[in-house]
């Protein structure tokens, strides 16, 4: 049975292909690369593809084919493309309007909301394989709900009852804040299959925009007070050269808020909602970054041109609606902070191992950022499901220096990407650094490891194991 992936980024397509090959032996998964129009916008690929004609089913990322919203033209084009074959529609927006298409295509449509978990992908592909094994089954479309809703109950209802259930599910999903993690980047270097397994098949994100009611935010389960306390301790002890700067102190103060506020940097304002981890502003991010580059490295003394002004929920709604009407978009706060921190902080970072452990909640959308080294995505992917020390990261990425790894750790902390409570190992003592250094020394003294490093053995091995 041939499954065709349409509209996926190259990195996500490879991850989904690997996922399907490991879990569904009956599926032969292929990819149609994303295509751009003359105006450089994403479009539905040319429907004369031989792969498309031979496909038994489709997984279509709607944003990846330029169909962020349902229109009559989009529906007609997509219906002609899938040609009455079972299809999974994936979107980051409300897909209720796409259900009109069910009457047109007369084939089974499944719906998957992004960002999605590994479990949700397993469920939807499992349903697809069942449908393909029973080609006579045309009992209408099904809906794959989030893990927080009762999917099993919906799928067991008669078709006549599923429509009402879907509407209830949609209303509930719009009202709740989903904590799914997410990730997507524009480039990814070779890495081991274990690292790739921790990649975007587990969590997926293809857009940096926070789109109103259908958005999925990453909830912060750590108490703000605890979060700031841990980060302050870590930054003071291990990154002392940047701790007492305007930018770092401003970020730490920002992390202490739980209610809406305005961050004022010179003449620019960022409207921030910590509860949904979003930012909306009336200026370009590069202007805000330039302003921070001027004042962010100064020694902190009072406001230094940066003010955090708490506002009421009513004021936030009024201001955000005004900015939205003016054409400004909401962005994920973590990606905004990462971009600013990456361009502001250029201090010499520690070049010695330390006991800190990095585990990330998700991988930011580096595709929308400037000048992000490709290795950053690989390092964070390695830290998605397991906390790793800097010594472990060095063994995975021997071509990277300790300073490069420390920079990734620092940006992860200042953007809110790192799991704060895992940074410091339990029962950390003053001798912890010596212990870590001792382990590193023993590793370097091992002649076999030293020879493997010098000959590039580990790098070649990782390349052979990579996707």
């Amino acid at each position: 049975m041939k499954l065709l992936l349409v509209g996926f980024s190259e990195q996500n397509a490879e991850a989904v292909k690997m996922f399907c090959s490991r879990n569904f032996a009956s599926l032969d998964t292929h990819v149609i690369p994303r295509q751009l129009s003359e105006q450089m916008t994403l479009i539905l690929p040319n429907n004369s593809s031989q792969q498309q004609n031979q496909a038994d089913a489709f997984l279509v990322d709607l944003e990846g084919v330029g169909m962020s919203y349902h229109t009559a033209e989009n529906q007609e084009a997509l219906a002609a493309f899938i040609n009455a074959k079972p299809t999974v529609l994936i979107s980051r927006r409300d897909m209720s309007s796409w259900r009109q298409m069910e009457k047109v295509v007369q084939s089974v449509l499944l719906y998957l909301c992004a960002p999605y978990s590994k479990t949700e992908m397993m469920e939807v592909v499992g349903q697809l394989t069942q449908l393909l094994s029973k080609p006579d089954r045309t009992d209408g479309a099904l809906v794959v709900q989030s893990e927080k809703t009762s999917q099993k109950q919906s799928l067991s209802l008669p078709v006549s009852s599923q429509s009402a259930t879907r509407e209830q599910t949609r209303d509930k999903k719009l009202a709740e804040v989903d904590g799914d993690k997410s990730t997507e980047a524009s480039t990814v270097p070779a890495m081991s299959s274990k690292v790739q397994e921790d990649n975007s098949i587990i969590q997926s994100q293809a857009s940096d925009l926070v789109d109103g009611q259908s958005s999925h935010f990453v909830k912060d389960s750590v108490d703000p007070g605890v979060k700031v306390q841990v980060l302050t301790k870590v930054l003071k002890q291990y990154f002392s050269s940047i701790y007492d700067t305007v930018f770092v102190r401003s970020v730490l103060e920002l992390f202490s808020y739980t209610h809406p506020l305005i961050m004022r940097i010179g003449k620019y304002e960022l409207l921030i909602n910590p509860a949904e981890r979003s930012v909306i502003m009336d200026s370009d991010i590069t202007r805000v970054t330039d302003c921070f580059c001027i004042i962010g490295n100064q020694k902190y003394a009072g406001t230094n041109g940066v003010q955090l002004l708490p506002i009421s929920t009513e004021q936030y709604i009024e201001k955000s609606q005004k900015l939205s009407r003016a054409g400004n978009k909401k962005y994920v706060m973590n990606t905004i902070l990462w971009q600013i921190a990456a361009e502001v902080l250029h201090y010499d970072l520690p070049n010695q191992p330390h006991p800190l452990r990095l585990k990330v909640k998700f991988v930011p959308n580096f595709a929308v950022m400037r000048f992000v080294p490709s290795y950053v995505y690989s390092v964070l992917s390695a830290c998605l499901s397991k906390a790793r020390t800097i010594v472990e990261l060095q063994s995975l990425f021997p071509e990277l220096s300790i300073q490069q790894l420390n920079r990734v750790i620092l940006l992860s902390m200042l953007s809110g990407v790192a799991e704060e409570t895992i940074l410091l190992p339990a029962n950390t003592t003053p001798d912890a650094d010596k212990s870590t250094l001792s382990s590193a020394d023993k590793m370097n003294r091992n002649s076999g490891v030293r020879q493997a490093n010098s000959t590039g053995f580990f790098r070649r091995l990782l390349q052979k194991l990579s996707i």
Side-chain angles (χ1 to χ4, degrees):
M1 294 180 288
K2 187 172 181 179
L3 176 65
L4 194 58
L5 308 183
V6 185
F8 287 80
S9 66
E10 181 179 353
Q11 159 257 322
N12 270 358
E14 289 300 317
V16 174
K17 279 183 64 178
M18 183 191 69
F19 171 83
C20 291
S21 66
R22 288 186 175 183
N23 297 283
F24 302 95
S26 62
L27 287 180
D28 182 19
T29 308
H30 297 267
V31 180
I32 292 184
R34 284 179 170 177
Q35 293 185 15
L36 298 174
S37 67
E38 294 180 355
Q39 291 74 35
M40 300 303 290
T41 59
L42 290 167
I43 57 174
L44 193 67
N46 190 316
N47 62 3
S48 62
S49 167
Q50 183 179 2
Q51 280 190 331
Q52 177 211 345
N53 296 331
Q54 295 176 349
D56 297 304
F58 298 90
L59 256 68
V60 180
D61 187 311
L62 292 174
E63 279 77 22
V65 296
M67 296 184 177
S68 300
Y69 299 97
H70 175 271
T71 64
E73 293 77 10
N74 285 345
Q75 176 178 297
E76 182 180 359
L78 187 57
F81 183 89
I82 65 176
N83 193 23
K85 296 176 181 178
T87 301
V88 178
L89 299 181
I90 302 174
S91 180
R92 291 139 199 89
R93 294 177 167 84
D94 178 25
M95 289 187 285
S96 58
S97 55
W98 282 100
R99 295 181 185 131
Q100 303 173 32
M101 187 173 166
E102 298 166 10
K103 302 176 183 178
V104 177
V105 297
Q106 296 182 352
S107 65
V108 175
L109 296 180
L110 302 175
Y111 301 89
L112 183 60
C113 293
Y116 45 81
S117 66
K118 182 179 179 180
T119 301
E120 290 173 323
M121 177 61 79
M122 178 77 76
E123 290 171 346
V124 74
V125 177
Q127 291 177 54
L128 200 58
T129 56
Q130 291 178 5
L131 291 169
L132 293 176
S133 64
K134 299 177 181 180
D136 58 325
R137 180 176 176 179
T138 56
D139 54 352
L142 303 177
V143 175
V144 177
Q145 305 168 10
S146 72
E147 293 174 343
K148 297 182 180 180
T149 60
S150 179
Q151 181 189 31
K152 292 183 179 180
Q153 180 180 0
S154 172
L155 298 180
S156 64
L157 290 174
V159 177
S160 59
S161 302
Q162 288 178 6
S163 177
T165 303
R166 288 197 297 265
E167 294 303 319
Q168 294 172 1
T169 300
R170 179 174 63 84
D171 292 341
K172 182 178 180 181
K173 286 172 70 66
L174 296 182
E176 70 180 27
V177 175
D178 197 341
D180 286 349
K181 301 175 185 178
S182 59
T183 174
E184 176 177 326
S186 55
T187 57
V188 55
M191 63 181 79
S192 71
S193 58
K194 173 59 182 173
V195 173
Q196 183 69 6
E197 184 177 13
D198 293 337
N199 204 337
S200 57
I201 60 173
I202 301 175
Q203 291 109 12
S204 173
Q205 174 185 357
S207 174
D208 186 49
L209 292 181
V210 175
D211 182 42
Q213 60 185 11
S214 61
S215 56
H216 292 255
F217 304 113
V218 178
K219 279 186 176 180
D220 211 336
S221 58
V222 182
D223 179 84
V226 174
K227 178 177 182 175
V228 173
Q229 183 180 9
V230 172
L231 289 178
T232 299
K233 180 177 180 180
V234 170
L235 290 168
K236 271 186 175 181
Q237 183 170 356
Y238 299 103
F239 299 92
S240 57
S241 62
I242 57 93
Y243 167 71
D244 203 27
T245 59
V246 172
F247 175 73
V248 172
R249 295 289 289 271
S250 298
V251 170
L252 291 176
E253 185 180 354
L254 170 62
F255 285 160
S256 68
Y257 281 84
T258 58
H259 299 292
L261 70 148
I262 293 174
M263 174 180 274
R264 185 173 293 159
I265 309 102
K267 63 179 182 179
Y268 304 112
E269 289 187 352
L270 278 65
L271 185 61
I272 301 174
N273 187 339
E276 65 179 27
R277 314 297 294 167
S278 68
V279 177
I280 182 170
M281 50 192 167
D282 60 357
S283 57
D284 187 84
I285 179 62
T286 56
R287 296 180 181 178
V288 176
T289 301
D290 290 343
C291 191
F292 255 125
C293 285
I294 297 173
I295 64 175
N297 288 324
Q298 297 177 7
K299 187 176 179 61
Y300 182 79
T303 61
N304 288 93
V306 180
Q307 293 178 289
L308 298 181
L309 309 173
I311 58 176
S312 67
T313 302
E314 291 75 17
Q315 289 175 309
Y316 173 80
I317 294 174
E318 180 182 353
K319 289 180 177 294
S320 62
Q321 289 178 345
K322 182 178 179 180
L323 288 170
S324 296
R325 286 194 295 268
N328 300 291
K329 302 292 185 181
K330 282 185 180 181
Y331 293 88
V332 179
M333 185 173 76
N334 307 97
T335 57
I336 296 296
L337 291 178
W338 186 292
Q339 290 176 82
I340 297 175
E343 297 196 36
V344 170
L345 301 176
H346 295 287
Y347 285 83
D348 290 334
L349 298 178
N351 58 4
Q352 295 294 330
H354 48 64
L356 296 180
R357 302 180 301 170
L358 179 63
K359 184 176 185 298
V360 298
K361 307 168 189 174
F362 56 93
V363 178
N365 185 5
F366 294 123
V368 300
M369 301 187 199
R370 302 184 302 170
F371 316 126
V372 179
S374 58
Y375 67 79
V376 174
Y377 182 86
S378 302
V379 173
L380 294 190
S381 296
C383 301
L384 261 175
S385 62
K386 180 182 178 181
R388 298 185 186 271
T389 65
I390 201 163
V391 172
E392 291 173 325
L393 288 173
Q394 268 202 306
S395 67
L396 281 175
F397 308 98
E399 71 278 7
L400 299 181
S401 68
I402 292 181
Q403 286 184 322
Q404 287 175 309
L405 293 172
N406 271 326
R407 181 168 176 80
V408 175
I409 294 173
L410 177 63
L411 296 180
S412 298
M413 289 191 293
L414 293 177
S415 64
V417 170
E419 292 273 10
E420 295 85 7
T421 56
I422 297 179
L423 282 167
L424 287 170
N427 302 320
T428 301
T429 64
D431 295 328
D433 285 322
K434 296 179 182 179
S435 175
T436 306
L437 284 169
S438 177
S439 299
D441 290 340
K442 289 178 182 178
M443 180 182 297
N444 290 331
R445 283 198 298 268
N446 186 299
S447 60
V449 173
R450 186 168 59 251
Q451 181 179 358
N453 280 329
S454 64
T455 60
F457 170 77
F458 287 138
R459 179 178 299 181
R460 294 196 303 274
L461 178 61
L462 286 173
Q463 289 175 344
K464 289 181 180 180
L465 293 174
S466 66
I467 302 301

